[in-house]
Amino acid sequence: MRCRILCLIFAFALVPAAAVADESPVSMSYIDTKDLKLIYYDSLGYVVPHAVGTFTQALAWQRRMFGWTPSEPTTIVLNDLSDTGNASQRSAPHSRLAFEIAPPSHAFETFPATERLFFLMNHEMVHVAAGDVASEDDQRWRSIFLGKVAPSRQNPETLLYSYLTIPRFNSPRWFNEGAAVFMETWMAGGLGRAQGGYDEMVFRTMVRDNAHFYDPLGLATRAVRVNFQVGVNAYLYGTRFITYLAFAHSPEKVVAWIRRDEGSRRSYADQFEQVFGLPLEKAWQDWIVFEHEFQLRNLAAVRKFPITPLQALPAKAVGSVSRMFYDEANQLLYAGYRYPGVIDHVGALNTRDGKLRQLAEIKRGTLFSVTSLAYDPGGGTLFFVNDNVAYRDLMAVDLKTGEERMLLKDARIGEIVFNPADRSLWGVRQSNGLASLVRIPYPYTSWEEGKPLPYEYVPYDLDISPDGRLLSASVSEINGDQFVRVWTTEQLRNADLKPVSEFRFGQSVPEGFVFSRDGRYLYGSSYYTGVSNIFRYDIAAGAIEAVSNAESGLFRPVPLADGRLLVLNYTGEGFVPAIIDAKPLKDVGAIAFLGAQVAEKHPVVKTWQVPPPGAIDVDKEILARGPYSPLREITRDNAYPVLQGYKNFAGIGYRVNFSDPVQFASVGVTAAWTPSGGLPAEERGHVDITGSYLGWRGSASWNRSDFYDLFGPTKRSRKGYATKLGYDWLLIYDDPRKFEAVFDVAYYDKIDTLPNAQNVETDFTRLVTGLAGLRYSNLRKSLGAVDDEKGLAWSVFAQGSRVNGQITPQILGTLDIGIPLPIPHSALWSRTAAGAADGSHNETVANFYFGGFGNNYVDDKSVQRYREYYSMPGFKLQELSGLNFVKELVEWTVPPVVFESVGTPSFNLTWLRPSIFAAALWTEPTDRALRKSYTSVGAQADLRFTLMHWYDMTLSVGYAVGHQGTQRMGSEWMVSLKIM
């Protein structure tokens, strides 16, 4: 029997091997050059030459600038999984970049106007170089560990190994991103965020409003949670500080800070002091003093001309705001809103009393533009877009009834605008990195799509004239030039893209241009003069005039019936709606850019421009190409010694990791030895092999050991053989909505306790288990939240255990429902579980077991383990059992306390989250004679801190009291440190 089961499991394990064929199992191809492995979806083949060219030029620049000799070819993955372009990078175990090929958002000019892949490649390659560049000491550690090591929860010793092999990766985000943005700007000839109008506006406004400047520690803790710009603050502060250093000390010293030459310091902070001759904290304070002086001069320059008066509306800052529409009769401002403490939503802001009424939640809003919004005033309908960072859905909400409905699923259409002439919607569709104009006729069940536009021709911020005859859009050209262009809707339907009118804004992005009530003008914003002001474009004359002189910045104008404009005014807390008179001005103030002063004082940065990718003969670079097969690409990642625990003893082992470059396939092998005379000889050796491949999971172990068994009370180590095979079948992935089917089969031999119940001894040594189930979740949280705040999650599993030829079935179900409370970042949760088994009470495999918090003193699993169905704090582990049960847990998550500057940059507190819970358990609820009831009431506080800038640790303290009926059965204290 044992042989048949093992054969069956390994037969299933071999099924994925069929993927090693002439066709890629993931519909991807690859290209190899001497320094690059480019992996891409086949539909993106057209952009491959451009990608190879941009990489080759960026790599050559990084080599020269940082003295970098790559330790390996860089892996780049091109995909089309989002309608918003972006990129990500990692340094270990291998250097890898992943690009979302769609165009990025230009909202508020937070992204530069350069060609998207050129800009992203330059930026991300700075990260690759900084993470991979190595001194002789770093290279020696890499040879010891057979590669670069990324920290792993399974073996937390890897935190040290990571610092030894990739020391400069272990730096704060503001340093990594600030360096990349600074370099990216000069790699593009000065076009970038180090010379960006948005960055200047942020710090100019902070100085004007006497706002708080975060120190490096507060930036990494509080600023990324309580401010509406969250993680963008790391880019803003980091770029500004490094630009100041270049101005005050020289760009060459900035480069020396980033480099890892012989004699350089391993820590970024120590290296800073070595290069600049003063502590980093002192330089940061010097920068803040300098910034105030610099921005006061800018404010004085703007104030040389009268500042445009703002008629404030009774509304506080509302974070990020989408395009707006104003119902003047009811004085309601419709828009998409995104700010901390409230889930992203389409709302109606009452401009009389400042109250904001939520109309519909927005799923996956973008940071600055939130969503694409259109308005049909006659039909009383708002149209908006969900899944803004995935495949976009077109939605509609009825303003009278509040009914929300989906019009088009995964249509990938945004930049929507309503045509009042025929009730159609127009928009821009993204697919495979190419944009196309689409028309969606009423009743919005299908669309008419034009021919895909050239790669870098991407229209955005569409608007249609009141008579439906003209359509306008902002458009960027391949050289970075920015235009507002106007066409007739008739010519666009005939695929004629020759504009009837256009205005060139140079390198400044024109944003939010909309038609006046009479269709004669377009009103919009641009940093055309350095400050984001509102401009009026005369369509017939082709002339443009400023109609505002702002101190901070004005955006997204809405023409009113009386000729005034409703605008968004930038403040440090977010954007605030206000009203201005739209009168042409002869003069507006201009500001100085810190980046421009760097170039003037240190002209060397003008020589840092990366040559165009077209200069590369791509065909000569390519060494190999073909379909991408993950199994064929598996290589060794690294290998290192590990500590292991087995039952109550400590051992030592060695782990080797393998994976393909994209990590579609991975294998880990751990061998360990426990040198204790307290163990039988046959239990001192340990082997654990785990693997995954495209949804498949498998493992095989002998006397499985585990690092966290060194820190009980929960033990994961088990005597004997264990072979497992599982498959996760993703039925729906519509983040945050996820629905999957789960299948598992396992075989155990030579065991002495149940695999999932350490305190339940078995009177058998061989066990076969099988499980099949469904799991669904749709959980949401607001900006700055530390935990889920609302939603639904459920699961149902059927499982069976075979012992001595007899099968014992069980069924288990869970249901979690969360409701947000009026207090920001606070919610009330109901967590229900129920199970039933067909067996007898003296069958160990038939019972469900409960008890304890379940956390180890040092752990890597869920922090709030009391939420699990098997947890019952206040009782001992597996103290309670039953064939059938019902359990209900009610939990209140209390708003967290967010810290600012507690600790050091490499070890600091971030937040404290309290929670209170009460659970009731009924075993054998349908049998009066056997029914028992238990309760558990407790609280837990979780203290989050950050180690080495990137790695979250959580120290949890909990206390609970357990009762059976009215009798107190015990109490339990829990202290646990979660690693990563």
Side-chain angles (χ1 to χ4, degrees):
M1 179 65 191
R2 169 184 166 189
C3 181
R4 290 200 301 270
I5 293 173
L6 285 172
C7 290
L8 178 63
I9 289 176
F10 283 109
F12 277 115
L14 291 174
V15 170
V20 184
D22 292 335
E23 293 186 3
S24 169
V26 289
S27 299
M28 301 183 82
S29 298
Y30 77 93
I31 280 178
D32 282 343
T33 74
K34 180 171 64 72
D35 300 301
L36 168 69
K37 176 175 283 293
L38 178 65
I39 303 166
Y40 58 94
Y41 285 100
D42 295 339
S43 59
L44 302 177
Y46 75 93
V47 80
V48 164
H50 181 53
V52 174
T54 54
F55 167 81
T56 304
Q57 295 286 35
L59 174 64
W61 189 94
Q62 303 291 339
R63 286 175 179 270
R64 294 192 303 270
M65 186 62 65
F66 297 115
W68 172 44
T69 300
S71 64
E72 60 187 344
T74 300
T75 296
I76 293 181
V77 181
L78 300 180
N79 65 63
D80 184 35
L81 303 177
S82 171
D83 290 341
T84 302
N86 212 330
S88 61
Q89 176 270 343
R90 74 174 188 187
S91 298
H94 304 289
S95 299
R96 191 189 78 180
L97 301 177
F99 291 92
E100 300 287 355
I101 200 64
S105 169
H106 289 295
F108 307 125
E109 205 172 318
T110 49
F111 271 80
T114 51
E115 189 276 311
R116 75 188 90 152
L117 199 53
F118 177 79
F119 144 67
L120 289 171
M121 190 73 73
N122 289 342
H123 178 97
E124 299 299 332
M125 285 299 292
V126 176
H127 291 320
V128 172
D132 189 59
V133 67
S135 67
E136 289 185 3
D137 189 44
D138 304 335
Q139 292 172 353
R140 183 163 49 251
W141 283 111
R142 292 178 186 181
S143 65
I144 291 172
F145 297 128
L146 304 183
K148 296 179 290 184
V149 181
S152 163
R153 292 179 182 176
Q154 183 176 351
N155 301 107
E157 312 95 311
T158 53
L159 284 165
L160 173 61
Y161 305 158
S162 171
Y163 185 63
L164 294 173
T165 57
I166 49 171
R168 290 298 174 78
F169 176 80
N170 295 286
S171 305
R173 190 179 184 190
W174 66 259
F175 168 70
N176 291 310
E177 298 300 349
V181 171
F182 178 79
M183 293 299 175
E184 138 216 323
T185 299
W186 304 111
M187 293 172 77
L191 186 60
R193 290 169 284 184
Q195 289 206 98
Y198 185 85
D199 293 46
E200 289 290 351
M201 177 183 69
V202 167
F203 292 102
R204 183 173 66 253
T205 305
M206 290 176 65
V207 170
R208 182 198 66 178
D209 297 343
N210 197 28
H212 172 60
F213 275 67
Y214 289 101
D215 61 22
L217 182 51
L219 176 61
T221 56
R222 187 171 177 81
V224 297
R225 293 210 172 271
V226 303
N227 185 277
F228 83 102
Q229 298 182 105
V230 288
V232 171
N233 280 300
Y235 290 77
L236 290 167
Y237 276 77
T239 301
R240 197 68 180 181
F241 176 60
I242 290 175
T243 304
Y244 156 75
L245 292 174
F247 176 78
H249 298 274
S250 82
E252 290 88 348
K253 284 196 172 183
V254 170
V255 173
W257 183 23
I258 301 171
R259 289 175 66 120
R260 185 74 171 108
D261 297 328
E262 292 306 315
S264 64
R265 307 297 293 274
R266 182 174 294 275
S267 161
Y268 81 101
D270 293 343
Q271 175 68 2
F272 179 92
E273 190 162 354
Q274 178 172 293
V275 170
F276 291 96
L278 74 165
L280 190 150
E281 292 75 12
K282 174 63 168 59
W284 193 278
Q285 294 305 315
D286 292 345
W287 159 62
I288 293 175
V289 173
F290 168 87
E291 192 67 51
H292 279 76
E293 295 172 351
F294 182 82
Q295 296 301 353
L296 286 173
R297 291 194 297 270
N298 271 340
L299 287 166
V302 173
R303 291 166 181 164
K304 287 181 179 179
F305 304 100
I307 300 300
T308 299
L310 297 173
Q311 179 187 330
L313 299 172
K316 62 180 181 180
V318 285
S320 296
V321 185
S322 73
R323 179 178 180 174
M324 306 178 294
F325 297 94
Y326 193 48
D327 177 353
E328 294 194 59
N330 297 300
Q331 299 183 45
L332 296 175
L333 183 62
Y334 298 119
Y337 299 96
R338 190 171 197 257
Y339 52 93
V342 178
I343 292 173
D344 303 351
H345 61 276
V346 175
L349 178 64
N350 191 316
T351 59
R352 291 169 296 189
D353 58 18
K355 293 182 179 179
L356 181 56
R357 177 168 59 95
Q358 296 187 29
L359 301 172
E361 286 188 4
I362 297 171
K363 182 155 68 83
R364 304 188 77 185
T366 50
L367 178 56
F368 289 111
S369 57
V370 188
T371 186
S372 181
L373 197 71
Y375 179 40
D376 173 9
T381 303
L382 275 174
F383 303 92
F384 67 100
V385 171
N386 269 344
D387 277 337
N388 293 270
V389 292
Y391 287 175
R392 293 174 290 191
D393 305 327
L394 181 60
M395 312 292 295
V397 58
D398 190 302
L399 297 177
K400 294 180 181 179
T401 66
E403 179 189 359
E404 180 184 344
R405 56 198 173 99
M406 181 181 290
L407 302 175
L408 296 170
K409 173 68 175 173
D410 289 342
R412 309 195 68 178
I413 298 172
E415 311 296 340
I416 55 175
V417 63
F418 179 74
N419 187 345
D422 60 4
R423 299 192 66 190
S424 65
L425 290 169
W426 287 68
V428 178
R429 186 170 188 269
Q430 302 291 343
S431 182
N432 297 322
L434 301 177
S436 56
L437 285 166
V438 298
R439 177 179 177 271
I440 311 170
Y442 180 84
Y444 319 117
T445 56
S446 62
W447 67 83
E448 304 164 358
E449 185 170 4
K451 182 179 178 181
L453 300 169
Y455 166 72
E456 193 49 36
Y457 194 94
V458 182
Y460 57 95
D461 283 351
L462 273 59
D463 197 42
I464 288 180
S465 60
D467 61 5
R469 191 178 66 86
L470 299 176
L471 183 145
S472 66
S474 298
V475 182
S476 63
E477 294 285 2
I478 190 70
N479 62 358
D481 284 346
Q482 307 294 310
F483 293 85
V484 164
R485 287 182 172 145
V486 181
W487 304 267
T488 67
T489 51
E490 181 180 358
Q491 71 177 109
L492 289 176
R493 295 189 69 177
N494 293 321
D496 180 2
L497 291 177
K498 184 178 181 181
V500 297
S501 181
E502 71 175 14
F503 186 83
R504 179 181 176 274
F505 280 80
Q507 303 293 316
S508 296
V509 174
E511 185 171 8
F513 274 80
V514 296
F515 284 93
S516 60
R517 295 291 184 99
D518 59 9
R520 178 182 173 186
Y521 301 106
L522 285 168
Y523 289 97
S525 67
S526 175
Y527 296 96
Y528 196 47
T529 59
V531 178
S532 182
N533 278 302
I534 304 299
F535 292 88
R536 185 180 75 178
Y537 175 55
D538 188 320
I539 297 171
I544 198 159
E545 299 172 294
V547 297
S548 76
N549 183 42
E551 279 188 326
S552 56
L554 302 178
F555 302 88
R556 300 199 176 135
V558 178
L560 304 179
D562 60 6
R564 296 182 301 165
L565 297 175
L566 191 150
V567 297
L568 287 179
N569 176 38
Y570 176 80
T571 73
E573 297 299 318
F575 294 89
V576 180
I579 293 176
I580 65 170
D581 288 325
K583 296 179 180 179
L585 303 175
K586 291 184 178 180
D587 296 295
V588 296
I591 63 166
F593 284 75
L594 181 56
Q597 294 196 357
V598 170
E600 182 179 347
K601 184 178 179 181
H602 305 283
V604 65
V605 296
K606 298 178 183 179
T607 69
W608 286 3
Q609 186 168 0
V610 174
I616 300 296
D617 188 339
V618 173
D619 290 337
K620 290 184 179 180
E621 298 288 325
I622 296 175
L623 302 177
R625 65 196 314 161
Y628 183 74
S629 175
L631 295 180
R632 286 179 174 171
E633 299 290 341
I634 290 179
T635 59
R636 188 195 66 240
D637 295 334
N638 43 49
Y640 41 77
V642 294
L643 292 174
Q644 295 290 97
Y646 181 75
K647 296 186 175 180
N648 295 312
F649 303 95
I652 191 167
Y654 196 72
R655 182 174 176 85
V656 185
N657 296 302
F658 305 86
S659 71
D660 76 292
V662 192
Q663 292 201 318
F664 287 136
S666 64
V667 177
V669 180
T670 301
W673 177 259
T674 302
S676 172
L679 281 175
E682 66 271 16
E683 291 188 57
R684 296 176 190 172
H686 318 280
V687 178
D688 188 17
I689 304 171
T690 59
S692 64
Y693 177 71
L694 299 180
W696 291 90
R697 297 169 282 105
S699 66
S701 62
W702 164 244
N703 296 333
R704 185 184 187 277
S705 58
D706 191 281
F707 171 85
Y708 294 96
D709 275 19
L710 296 170
F711 310 93
T714 300
K715 301 294 184 182
R716 305 174 194 171
S717 55
R718 292 293 187 273
K719 176 189 174 184
Y721 299 100
T723 305
K724 303 177 185 179
L725 181 68
Y727 183 73
D728 298 330
W729 182 12
L730 196 58
L731 303 172
I732 296 175
Y733 184 74
D734 187 19
D735 196 25
R737 189 167 64 105
K738 184 178 180 181
F739 184 35
E740 62 182 341
V742 179
F743 305 93
D744 283 285
V745 61
Y747 172 81
Y748 305 90
D749 198 6
K750 308 292 185 182
I751 64 174
D752 57 5
T753 59
L754 286 182
N756 297 315
Q758 69 189 56
N759 294 324
V760 181
E761 296 182 354
T762 62
D763 56 2
F764 51 86
T765 61
R766 189 172 298 169
L767 170 67
V768 179
T769 64
L771 176 148
L774 299 172
R775 187 162 51 204
Y776 175 87
S777 64
N778 186 4
L779 306 174
R780 302 191 184 188
K781 57 186 176 182
S782 63
L783 200 64
V786 302
D787 206 351
D788 294 320
E789 296 173 334
K790 70 170 297 185
L792 170 72
W794 60 263
S795 66
V796 59
F797 291 99
Q799 52 194 17
S801 302
R802 188 178 188 276
V803 177
N804 298 325
Q806 181 176 347
I807 296 177
T808 302
Q810 292 177 313
I811 187 167
L812 172 68
T814 65
L815 174 64
D816 295 348
I817 300 173
I819 303 173
L821 299 177
I823 310 168
H825 302 315
S826 181
L828 191 66
W829 285 87
S830 166
R831 306 183 189 276
T832 307
D838 183 12
S840 65
H841 288 280
N842 57 10
E843 292 180 76
T844 56
V845 294
N847 285 273
F848 296 92
Y849 297 93
F850 311 88
F853 274 95
N855 303 66
N856 273 348
Y857 305 126
V858 179
D859 210 329
D860 67 334
K861 302 297 183 183
S862 170
V863 169
Q864 291 161 309
R865 204 78 57 82
Y866 61 82
R867 295 175 175 176
E868 303 295 339
Y869 86 89
Y870 53 78
S871 177
M872 203 66 182
F875 297 89
K876 296 178 182 179
L877 291 172
Q878 291 106 46
E879 180 180 359
L880 312 177
S881 64
L883 290 176
N884 306 287
F885 78 93
V886 175
K887 181 185 174 186
E888 175 64 29
L889 181 140
V890 177
E891 175 190 7
W892 175 33
T893 55
V894 182
V897 177
V898 180
F899 302 106
E900 181 170 334
S901 297
V902 182
T904 68
S906 59
F907 181 85
N908 54 79
L909 305 186
T910 54
W911 48 256
L912 174 67
R913 172 188 58 197
S915 53
I916 300 170
F917 61 88
L921 171 68
W922 297 269
T923 59
E924 320 309 335
T926 61
D927 189 329
R928 287 188 177 183
L930 298 177
R931 181 189 307 154
K932 293 181 181 180
S933 62
Y934 308 91
T935 58
S936 171
V937 178
Q940 181 171 314
D942 303 312
L943 180 65
R944 172 66 57 85
F945 59 95
T946 301
L947 180 68
M948 297 167 60
H949 310 288
W950 287 100
Y951 309 112
D952 290 333
M953 310 286 173
T954 307
L955 178 63
S956 299
V957 178
Y959 178 76
V961 177
H963 288 81
Q964 180 177 353
T966 59
Q967 181 182 358
R968 175 169 170 158
M969 299 297 292
S971 62
E972 179 184 9
W973 280 98
M974 181 275 294
V975 178
S976 177
L977 174 64
K978 181 179 184 294
I979 304 292
M980 291 182 282

